[in-house]
Amino acid sequence: MTEDVSEERAVLRGVTRRSALGLLGAAVALAATMAPALPARARGRRRLDELLEQLTLDEKISLLHGARDPNGLGQAGYVPGVPRLGIPELRLADGPAGVRVRKTATALPAPVMLAAAFDPGLARAYGRVIGREGRALGQDVLLSPMVNLIRTPYAGRNFETFSEDPLLSADLVAEEVRGIQAEGLVATVKHFALNNQERDRTSVDARASERTLHETELRGFEAAVAAGTGAVMAAYNKVNGVHASENAALLSGVLRDRWGFDGWVMSDWDATHSTAPALTAGLDMEMPAGVRFGDPLKAAVADGKVPEAAVDRAVRRVLAVRERFGLLGATPAERPARDAASGANLALRVATAGATLLRNENGALPLSAPAARSLAVVGPTGAVPFVSGGGSAHVVPDAAARPVDALRARAGAGAEVTYALGEDLYGKPLPALTPAASLENRTVAAGATWSHEAVFTVPEGDTWTFVVHYSGERPTVSVDGTELFPVRPGVAEYFTGGLLGRAPDGLHVRRAEFPLTAGEHRLKVTAPGGKAGQRFSLRAITSAGRAADLAEAVSAARAAHTVVLFAYEDATEGRDRTSLALPGHQEALIEAVTAVNPRTVVVLNTSSAVTMPWLERTAAVLQMYYPGQEGAAATTAVLFGDADPGGRLTQTFPAAEGRHPTAGDPHRYPGKDGTEEYSEGVHVGHRWYDAQGVAPLFPFGHGLSYTSFAYSGLVVVPRAGGGLDVTFTVRNTGTRAGTEVAQIYAGPSPDLELDQPARFLAGYRRLELAAGERRRITVPVAARTLSSFDPARDGWVLGTGERTLQVGASSRDVRLSARAEVRSG
């Protein structure tokens, strides 16, 4: 594709969307002054031509990199405008689960919970809420959605993305992009590509075959481009030996030449490694500053290493998207008011739809009769709402209720709902100090520094977890001369968990384990007040404290009819998990509580899969991920049966640490000698379990309802062009309304001499059926879904011949099966 054709397509696509977006702005005013006969796309192109002619080289370069915002709103990035030409400044905000700025915003459930609903329409509504709020909160570009596949359960950002499955991920990202951009906010699909882990993310070389790339990871990005995403963010890692931000095969060969992308490509933050190679490869914007695309770019143009035409090309791409969204005029489009009520309603809807019931023995749920009148709520996240994960995805909401309060309100007057902490996350006051001083809720005035040295006595040897709470600059704390909370390198200093990084008192939190022998120990604390003053506390968690908390939980569990035990796993950007087990001492807590009360329901607030050696001792397990600001209400509604659990797993839960696609092979994860190999090929996620004959703990697509469903009448009819229409009936055979997600899996083609999955997700349909209701549905399976990417032919090839189609409630719960002929033409 020539650059001229690409530019024309950019202008045409922008004009056709402008009326839908309602973003006329200054472009319309300019168009009114032109000759009426001038075509709309030509007017847009002329506008860009005129700007490029008027911009100086310095001004052009200023549009291609970030800078410090003189009036920052707490967003992630800023690009200055060119006032003399009426080009406004640009603000870019994080936003996988809500807009991350200084002000509060609607904290939506994590994208992985949205995906659990298997509902593309809901993904579009999710995008619209974020799009409106982003515009209302002064933002122009959203650094979301993330569509990297869930490849390993250890990845720290699994909660920020959708699924292990390429088809489901592609469907959802396309609709979320449409929703975001329908409100006038530019969407940025990320991280292009193979950014499937946080460990060594800035340096690891992710190596995958061309076929593996196209059939797995790239499918979602291609769908986002087809949906019209305005921007793409290049990943930190290398792809097949070349950093993603300067990978011409990806940024030009695939993204622009093969897919026809006409937006702009930005780097991830501080992920630009060169000037001329990156710009030439197809990177248009360096974020968050101009280390490579600032003065070095100007010098490269002056030295003849970069032609100014290459700078113009990147500027045109950026300006074309801005023009398309009404962000290129002296009078910008009017911003809407924030609609917090609508955001809250959507947050509740998504959290309920994505709630996934994994286990429910003997009808333990929904809670009713004595179970609803005598409850013990156990676990720290029963009293501290777990709203969102950590890092750039963390959103501070207007408000978020405590689950225990929501459960008490729903249980009603006369019910007994007790609470026990179970495991302490934020510490208890230190023992007496000599000389005495209180380290609880201490204030330090602005400009002052408070310091104290003291001795405290430990009765027996133990490993303590010291916990510092602070509102300003972190206090310096040392024990026996060892600094407990040093500044950590890189993003680790800033990216902490969504639960563990901030305490219920609103203060920042850091933790440090330190072994102490019996006897006296020296403590030194220095706390600066800074410009605004600050408040801090120093606390500790000890073995004695843990034993007391556990005993209290066991006592509460023994006294109640039913236990609702909240368990957590706190993930964040910048750090992978080191284990699939629940962190801390939670497994011991579950074992102790279930030993005295087998009617224990475990509610999981986790980012991804966890192992469950305690599973068989529980009555029920409800997966609630990171449920957003309405998590308490959604959890309560599902536990009491006011809503059917509507979610299904979008990732396979392994039975053990060593039984998943990246287990036992350091070449696959986390990589060896700086390289990781995607040697599983097209067998990602549930496809690997089928190929290897490995039984999971819970399969892809699994999720229980409070009712039951029957399937019948499968008919498969070929469609013109190579697709299939899969028709069948689903009937609610229970006594209450419920939600089912019918899933279609296709087998391999006998006519393709390529390695193919034993079966793969080919279609799905979310159904809400009243008691006794039956519905006959037809799910189309596209020819593209039945195709494989053949590198020898440099394209997609239809898998013709007789193929098996299976319909069921999960990848391992097949209810109907048929064979159908797939024909080309």
Side-chain angles (χ1 to χ4, degrees):
M1 179 184 297
T2 67
E3 190 62 36
D4 286 346
V5 172
S6 179
E7 290 169 6
E8 287 185 4
R9 179 176 293 176
V11 174
L12 177 59
R13 185 175 291 175
V15 171
T16 57
R17 282 183 171 83
R18 193 181 304 125
S19 58
L21 294 171
L23 299 176
L24 301 180
V28 173
L30 176 66
T33 67
M34 294 182 176
L38 195 62
R41 64 178 180 178
R43 290 199 300 269
R45 183 166 183 168
R46 174 178 290 182
R47 165 72 166 147
L48 298 182
D49 289 342
E50 290 174 349
L51 284 174
L52 280 169
E53 289 175 2
Q54 296 174 68
L55 286 164
T56 67
L57 178 60
D58 285 338
E59 289 169 339
K60 292 173 186 176
I61 290 174
S62 74
L63 296 172
L64 300 184
H65 65 79
R68 181 181 176 276
D69 189 347
N71 301 298
L73 303 177
Q75 80 280 358
Y78 170 81
V79 178
V82 183
R84 75 178 185 87
L85 296 178
I87 300 176
E89 56 198 356
L90 199 71
R91 290 186 170 88
L92 307 87
D94 291 315
V99 183
R100 187 172 184 260
V101 292
R102 190 173 296 116
K103 291 184 178 179
T104 57
T106 299
L108 294 166
V112 71
M113 192 171 200
L114 166 69
F118 277 74
D119 187 346
L122 190 60
R124 182 179 288 210
Y126 186 97
R128 293 201 74 140
V129 166
I130 298 177
R132 181 186 177 102
E133 289 217 341
R135 292 284 300 151
L137 292 167
Q139 303 305 305
D140 307 299
V141 180
L142 185 77
L143 305 173
S144 182
M146 176 178 173
V147 73
N148 301 104
L149 293 183
I150 297 176
R151 177 176 179 257
T152 174
Y154 297 107
R157 299 182 82 171
N158 281 347
F159 68 96
E160 287 189 55
T161 191
F162 299 111
S163 173
E164 69 187 21
D165 186 81
L167 173 66
L168 181 61
S169 295
D171 289 349
L172 297 174
V173 74
E175 291 307 309
E176 186 178 344
V177 164
R178 291 185 178 104
I180 292 165
Q181 297 193 158
E183 298 295 330
L185 196 67
V186 180
T188 307
V189 66
K190 63 184 187 183
H191 310 83
F192 192 61
L194 299 182
N195 186 177
N196 306 111
Q197 65 188 59
E198 292 300 281
R199 185 166 169 178
D200 301 326
R201 67 175 180 172
T202 62
S203 60
V204 71
D205 181 9
R207 297 189 177 179
S209 70
E210 186 179 17
R211 182 171 177 229
T212 297
L213 271 167
H214 280 283
E215 289 198 30
T216 61
E217 176 82 353
L218 295 188
R219 182 118 184 228
F221 290 97
E222 183 180 6
V225 169
T229 187
V232 170
M233 180 185 291
Y236 280 114
N237 50 279
K238 296 176 184 175
V239 176
N240 293 328
V242 182
H243 275 290
S245 60
E246 56 189 44
N247 193 309
L250 279 178
L251 302 186
S252 293
V254 172
L255 189 60
R256 298 191 184 281
D257 298 340
R258 185 181 290 275
W259 296 344
F261 175 63
D262 54 16
W264 90 77
V265 178
M266 71 180 76
S267 73
D268 206 335
W269 268 225
D270 298 311
T272 305
H273 298 273
S274 64
T275 301
L279 188 72
T280 303
L283 186 72
D284 303 308
M285 181 180 288
E286 178 192 9
M287 294 301 295
V291 176
R292 306 285 186 177
F293 277 22
D295 289 340
L297 179 54
K298 183 178 180 180
V301 173
D303 295 343
K305 296 178 180 178
V306 172
E308 189 166 350
V311 175
D312 288 351
R313 182 182 64 179
V315 172
R316 179 179 288 276
R317 289 168 175 169
V318 173
L319 293 182
V321 177
R322 296 183 63 166
E323 190 272 342
R324 166 182 157 194
F325 282 82
L327 302 173
L328 201 56
T331 306
E334 184 178 353
R335 294 187 182 274
R338 182 169 169 243
D339 189 345
S342 291
N345 288 338
L346 193 278
L348 177 59
R349 182 180 162 199
V350 172
T352 304
T356 306
L357 185 60
L358 301 179
R359 173 180 170 88
N360 192 22
E361 294 299 295
N362 302 315
L365 293 178
L367 299 173
S368 61
R373 309 297 292 170
S374 173
L375 287 174
V377 178
V378 175
T381 48
V384 179
F386 201 151
V387 175
S388 60
S392 60
H394 188 65
V395 179
V396 179
D398 300 312
R402 304 192 320 158
V404 65
D405 294 336
L407 289 166
R408 280 185 179 134
R410 178 59 180 82
E416 185 175 1
V417 179
T418 60
Y419 174 74
L421 178 62
E423 182 170 28
D424 187 7
L425 300 182
Y426 304 106
K428 295 178 174 61
L430 297 181
L433 301 177
T434 304
S438 173
L439 296 180
E440 275 293 297
N441 203 29
R442 188 157 201 114
T443 59
V444 184
T449 298
W450 185 87
S451 185
H452 187 72
E453 294 188 49
V455 172
F456 65 99
T457 301
V458 175
E460 58 184 5
D462 188 13
T463 296
W464 285 32
T465 300
F466 287 91
V467 186
V468 63
H469 302 227
Y470 58 100
S471 64
E473 182 182 342
R474 186 161 71 243
T476 300
V477 180
S478 65
V479 173
D480 297 336
T482 299
E483 170 59 37
L484 297 182
F485 308 105
V487 174
R488 295 180 291 182
V491 296
E493 175 61 26
Y494 305 102
F495 289 163
T496 55
L499 174 71
L500 300 178
R502 191 176 291 268
D505 57 16
L507 303 185
H508 302 290
V509 169
R510 291 291 187 275
R511 294 168 182 78
E513 288 191 350
F514 195 80
L516 297 175
T517 57
E520 290 188 347
H521 295 271
R522 298 200 63 81
L523 173 71
K524 182 178 180 180
V525 180
T526 302
K531 294 181 180 179
Q534 82 156 312
R535 180 164 58 98
F536 81 94
S537 297
L538 181 64
R539 298 175 179 172
I541 303 169
T542 67
S543 294
R546 291 191 187 99
D549 290 335
L550 183 63
E552 180 191 23
V554 168
S555 177
R558 185 181 284 114
H561 180 280
T562 297
V563 178
V564 179
L565 192 155
F566 286 82
Y568 74 91
E569 174 266 319
D570 196 11
T572 183
E573 176 180 358
R575 182 179 71 234
D576 278 352
R577 300 161 67 187
T578 57
S579 170
L580 301 186
L582 290 171
H585 297 77
Q586 292 182 97
E587 289 191 353
L589 174 64
I590 294 174
E591 294 284 356
V593 168
T594 54
V596 299
N597 192 331
R599 296 178 299 277
T600 295
V601 177
V602 176
V603 177
L604 292 172
N605 292 130
T606 64
S607 68
S608 188
V610 294
T611 50
M612 304 181 195
W614 38 263
L615 179 65
E616 295 301 319
R617 304 182 72 169
T618 65
V621 177
L622 177 63
Q623 174 62 259
M624 289 299 294
Y625 300 102
Y626 301 155
Q629 67 182 52
E630 302 301 318
T635 302
T636 299
V638 172
L639 290 176
F640 277 87
D642 302 327
D644 200 46
R648 303 296 183 265
L649 290 181
T650 69
Q651 58 191 299
T652 308
F653 276 35
E657 294 272 357
R659 297 177 67 81
H660 57 80
T662 58
D665 186 349
H667 291 278
R668 284 192 186 177
Y669 176 84
K672 194 169 183 181
D673 299 326
T675 299
E676 62 171 334
E677 302 282 351
Y678 283 58
S679 56
E680 68 272 22
V682 298
H683 304 286
V684 295
H686 55 95
R687 302 176 183 182
W688 178 88
Y689 287 85
D690 287 339
Q692 299 298 318
V694 173
L697 181 64
F698 294 112
F700 175 88
H702 172 73
L704 304 176
S705 168
Y706 291 148
T707 186
S708 55
F709 300 91
Y711 291 68
S712 63
L714 175 62
V715 176
V716 183
V717 178
R719 304 175 67 198
L724 299 170
D725 280 333
V726 181
T727 301
F728 53 95
T729 298
V730 181
R731 179 168 63 93
N732 182 342
T733 57
T735 59
R736 57 184 293 153
T739 300
E740 177 68 322
V741 176
Q743 299 156 47
I744 300 167
Y745 295 86
S749 162
D751 296 341
L752 289 180
E753 295 183 359
L754 295 168
D755 183 29
Q756 299 173 69
R759 56 180 171 171
F760 58 90
L761 184 70
Y764 54 91
R765 179 69 58 81
R766 181 182 177 88
L767 300 167
E768 295 180 1
L769 301 177
E773 181 182 359
R774 69 175 65 222
R775 190 176 304 167
R776 190 154 183 80
I777 62 171
T778 297
V779 179
V781 176
R784 174 63 175 274
T785 301
L786 297 170
S787 300
S788 295
F789 189 89
D790 187 349
R793 305 188 205 183
D794 192 32
W796 292 87
V797 179
L798 181 64
T800 55
E802 190 177 61
R803 304 185 68 164
T804 300
L805 279 299
Q806 297 177 330
V807 178
S810 81
S811 65
R812 294 294 178 97
D813 184 1
V814 174
R815 309 291 182 86
L816 303 171
S817 183
R819 298 185 68 81
E821 188 77 18
V822 175
R823 299 188 293 267
S824 60

